[in-house]
């Protein structure tokens, strides 16, 4: 038993790239993108809550072994794999990771199938900022950034960077100016998110950025260091934007 036995396996292809996916539920679509090291039991638990709240959830497998526990060795292997992949931009500022194009295609396809106002995108940690990059596509109407950690916070410039190209940032800012809100969650002393990234989100998005912040140095707001208030805020945000 991996915790995914009740989920339907599939795959999505775009731009010559194919990744496996896992799908469950009915209702408006939500793309849940796992944190490092992959689709762990706690990620599945969170995704099940989104399903129970009345959504069709699709989880892409971008790295790791689905259902595996997050041991230290597994974490190191997965982050090494991700850092070496050309799909992810982990250090350069002012760039959008190439995987964003594939994720936008996944969201767009899900929206075309299910209809409604749009789909949600929940990114976590390594993938947290991808939900913001997906917002470039108008199909994404409920972007959630849980402890966005790319680019890695090595120096103030990277710590403040949002992992978007100037062109993508301009689109995101325009959508925010038109009323599209973005939900962000973090522990305020989390070094992986850094001291300045949420400042950048507030500056660039203004009142459209809704911050949910918790005291302390922990990291995974929705999974390993789960905060019930955070989970509740995410579910309420998805309900508000997708129904």
């Amino acid at each position: 038993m991996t915790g995914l036995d009740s989920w339907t396996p599939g795959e999505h292809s775009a731009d010559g790239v194919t990744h496996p996916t896992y799908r469950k539920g009915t209702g408006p679509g939500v793309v849940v993108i796992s944190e490092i090291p992959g689709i762990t039991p706690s990620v599945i638990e969170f995704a099940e809550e989104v399903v129970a709240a009345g959504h069709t959830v699709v989880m892409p497998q971008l790295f790791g072994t689905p259902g595996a526990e997050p041991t230290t060795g597994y974490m190191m292997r997965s982050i090494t794999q991700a850092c070496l992949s050309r799909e992810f931009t982990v250090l350069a500022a002012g760039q959008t990771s190439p995987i964003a194009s594939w994720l936008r295609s996944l969201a767009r396809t899900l929206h075309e199938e299910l209809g409604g106002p749009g789909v949600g995108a929940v990114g976590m940690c390594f993938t947290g900022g991808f939900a913001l990059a997906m917002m470039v596509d108008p199909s994404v109407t409920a972007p959630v950034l849980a402890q966005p950690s790319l680019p890695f916070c090595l120096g103030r410039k990277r710590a403040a960077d949002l992992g978007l190209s100037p062109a993508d940032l301009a689109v995101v800012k325009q959508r925010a100016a038109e009323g599209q809100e973005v939900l962000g969650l973090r522990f305020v002393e989390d070094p992986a998110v850094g001291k300045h990234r949420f400042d950048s989100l507030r500056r660039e998005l203004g009142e459209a950025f809704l911050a949910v912040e918790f005291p302390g140095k922990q990291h995974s707001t929705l999974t390993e260091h789960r905060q019930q208030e955070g989970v509740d805020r995410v579910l309420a945000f998805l309900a508000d934007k997708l129904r």
Side-chain angles (χ1 to χ4, degrees), residues 2 7 19 36 43 62 64 87 93 106 164 173 179 188 194 202 217 226 233-234:
T2 66
W7 292 69
H19 286 290
I36 292 290
V43 170
L62 303 182
E87 292 184 287
L106 176 62
L164 295 175
K173 290 175 66 174
V188 292
R202 291 186 175 96
K217 297 182 179 180
R226 172 194 173 95
R233 287 288 298 272
V234 170

Side-chain angles (χ1 to χ4, degrees), residues 166-242:
D168 284 349
L169 178 58
V171 174
V172 167
K173 290 175 66 174
Q174 179 61 36
R175 289 200 65 196
E178 293 169 352
Q180 174 60 62
E181 294 179 320
V182 177
L183 184 66
L185 305 96
R186 69 163 179 170
F187 289 96
V188 292
E189 297 178 68
D190 179 1
V193 179
K195 297 180 179 179
H196 307 296
R197 188 155 293 146
F198 268 40
D199 293 338
S200 295
L201 287 163
R202 291 186 175 96
R203 182 183 66 251
E204 300 292 355
L205 305 184
E207 293 183 358
F209 179 60
L210 310 176
V212 181
E213 299 175 283
F214 304 102
K217 297 182 179 180
Q218 291 178 294
H219 180 61
S220 299
T221 54
L222 304 177
T223 56
E224 301 300 328
H225 310 128
R226 172 194 173 95
Q227 299 295 298
Q228 186 60 47
E229 179 188 347
V231 174
D232 292 343
R233 287 288 298 272
V234 170
L235 296 179
F237 183 74
L238 295 173
D240 178 54
K241 302 301 180 184
L242 302 182

Side-chain angles (χ1 to χ4, degrees), residues 30 37 81 83 116 138 142 157 216 231 236 241:
V30 179
Q81 171 195 354
C83 288
K157 181 179 180 180
V231 174
K241 302 301 180 184

